[in-house]
Amino acid sequence: MKMLIAGFALLAAAFALTAPHSARAQNAEALVSLDSLKPEVALELAQEALQICREAGYQVAIAVVDRSGLTQVMLRDRFAGAHTVDTAVRKAWTAVSFRTSTLELNTLVAESPVMAGLPDITNALVLGGGVPITAAGTLVGGIGISGAPGADLDDECARQAIEKVQDFLDF
């Protein structure tokens, strides 16, 4: 009798352990997993960008957004203009939304009638300084910088900062 009860208990335990897994396996086709930056990496990226821009003599604001365009980190140097905060966020959001740097988008808007309406999209800002962040070919976020004396310089600071944290991003 004890053997029979022990057998049923073992069978019940095995069933309990497999039931949730089979339900998960069945739902796997309905779900999506997404990679995103950890807040610590987003902060490190923003700090690197701030340091790079300072060394070049620029007072800037830096925004790092997640793959959905939501702000993870915002840093503004003490003398960066008031407009730089919103501008940096919009550049980062645009880079993520269109999966293209804002410097490239600026060129596309100027050269292609098909892209001419892009600046009319709410929150889109096609000034250089917004760069998508990828890890192993997957979009994980974006960085936007505003305040250098030229959009190309904002872009350069962003790209240099990404290079500094690339080891964290490669997996």
Side-chain angles (χ1 to χ4, degrees), residues 38-104:
K38 289 184 178 180
E40 296 83 3
V41 176
L43 179 59
E44 177 72 21
L45 177 61
Q47 290 171 329
E48 289 289 349
L50 182 65
Q51 186 62 35
I52 290 165
C53 289
R54 277 184 176 171
E55 288 173 2
Y58 314 143
Q59 290 284 305
V60 300
I62 298 111
V64 178
V65 300
D66 66 13
R67 64 175 292 119
S68 301
L70 298 174
T71 304
Q72 284 188 288
V73 174
M74 164 50 65
L75 293 177
R76 182 188 152 271
D77 213 344
R78 61 185 164 246
F79 300 120
H83 70 284
T84 61
V85 172
D86 184 53
T87 303
V89 170
R90 289 178 60 200
K91 287 179 180 184
W93 180 89
T94 303
V96 167
S97 293
F98 296 95
R99 300 174 184 262
T100 306
S101 79
T102 54
L103 195 60
E104 292 173 61

